[in-house]
Amino acid sequence: MKMSAATPFTLLNQDLLLLPQRAIYWQQQKTLIAADVHLGKVGHFRKAGIAVPRDMEQGDLGVLSDLIHEYRPEKIVFLGDLFHSDMNADWDWFKLWRQQFPKLEIILIRGNHDIVHDDHYHQLNISLHDSLLIEPFLMLHHPQAEEELDELTGYVFCGHIHPGINLTGKGRQSLTLPCFAFGKRQAILPSFGKFTGRVAIRNLKTDRIFAVLKDKVMAID
């Protein structure tokens, strides 16, 4: 049974599904792509004495599981910040989750929060990269400036800034929604993790912006 509606989007002759769970399913490669899951952030805050519901993070892992069962990907590419900080008890939940999908290829593009030692990822059969070209796309964590994009091969998929789009109503109501932002040479994905903030980004006239609602993804003119 379908969880929710996906929005088809063709980019460089590749068929993508933009998912309201804040991920992309790349059909030709049978690959699920997600950015900024930030597992371990709940445990990090609770360790610091900040009250955060324990089940928030398990919910993100549950959504990942649902997407795997629905789309049957052969691999997942995490665009950085998979685990929020150093080791804590939330790693055990992640380890149990990984054991449910032993045949699934998992690739992590290192982000600034990915400070857990490589050995822990290797024990879970997760490969690590600073960047990875899966033509025609280049998987990174940080968005690149225009002059940097000129030096790169491939259309960039990245995360890091947790992009959002600010919408205003006729009565001056204001709402910031997570979004997918597609530029000429770079796409910035919304944060997959629910326990993250959003940055309202300024889009250029050439950008395609897709706002993420509860159960659908909507193109913004």
Side-chain angles (χ1 to χ4, degrees):
M1 183 173 64
K2 293 291 182 183
M3 295 166 56
S4 53
T7 297
F9 181 57
T10 300
L11 179 65
L12 299 178
N13 297 317
Q14 300 299 300
D15 299 312
L16 309 176
L17 295 177
L18 309 184
L19 309 177
Q21 294 84 6
R22 310 186 201 182
I24 292 176
Y25 182 65
W26 181 3
Q27 296 187 74
Q28 281 87 348
Q29 288 287 332
K30 297 182 179 179
T31 296
L32 193 65
I33 306 170
D36 302 287
V37 183
H38 285 281
L39 297 171
K41 190 172 184 179
V42 169
H44 182 73
F45 274 67
R46 291 181 68 88
K47 188 176 180 180
I50 301 171
V52 180
R54 288 184 181 274
D55 60 354
M56 183 177 293
E57 199 156 72
Q58 295 168 40
D60 287 335
L61 289 173
V63 172
L64 275 173
S65 297
D66 289 341
L67 290 174
I68 292 167
H69 289 308
E70 181 172 359
Y71 292 99
R72 303 291 179 182
E74 294 180 355
K75 60 176 170 259
I76 297 181
V77 176
F78 290 110
L79 300 178
D81 290 359
L82 173 57
F83 205 79
H84 179 74
S85 187
D86 53 3
M87 294 286 285
N88 59 40
D90 291 333
W91 183 267
D92 294 331
W93 288 108
F94 178 55
K95 185 176 180 180
L96 288 171
W97 175 86
R98 176 59 170 132
Q99 291 170 356
Q100 296 178 52
F101 308 102
K103 295 182 180 180
L104 181 66
E105 181 182 358
I106 298 183
I107 297 167
L108 171 60
I109 308 301
R110 289 185 181 89
N112 52 295
H113 281 280
D114 293 309
I115 62 174
V116 172
H117 196 279
D118 290 1
D119 288 347
H120 293 291
Y121 288 107
H122 293 157
Q123 289 169 10
L124 300 184
N125 195 24
I126 295 173
S127 61
L128 300 166
H129 302 265
D130 293 321
S131 65
L132 180 65
L133 179 64
I134 310 176
E135 292 186 346
F137 303 130
L138 176 63
M139 307 296 174
L140 298 175
H141 176 61
H142 289 90
Q144 304 296 298
E146 286 297 320
E147 58 272 17
E148 294 170 321
L149 289 169
D150 291 337
E151 304 298 323
L152 297 175
T153 299
Y155 183 99
V156 170
F157 276 12
C158 59
H160 181 60
I161 66 172
H162 310 170
I165 181 74
N166 187 261
L167 303 177
T168 55
K170 294 181 179 179
R172 295 187 179 180
Q173 309 97 321
S174 180
L175 177 66
T176 301
L177 295 172
C179 71
F180 297 89
F182 290 89
K184 283 186 175 180
R185 290 175 292 176
Q186 175 172 256
I188 307 175
L189 276 66
S191 59
F192 184 90
K194 301 299 184 295
F195 189 35
T196 57
R198 290 188 292 273
V199 175
I201 61 172
R202 183 180 65 182
N203 59 298
L204 303 175
K205 291 182 179 180
T206 54
D207 287 354
R208 292 291 306 278
I209 304 293
F210 294 85
V212 180
L213 286 73
K214 181 178 180 182
D215 57 358
K216 65 180 180 179
V217 177
M218 180 178 68
I220 303 295
D221 295 330

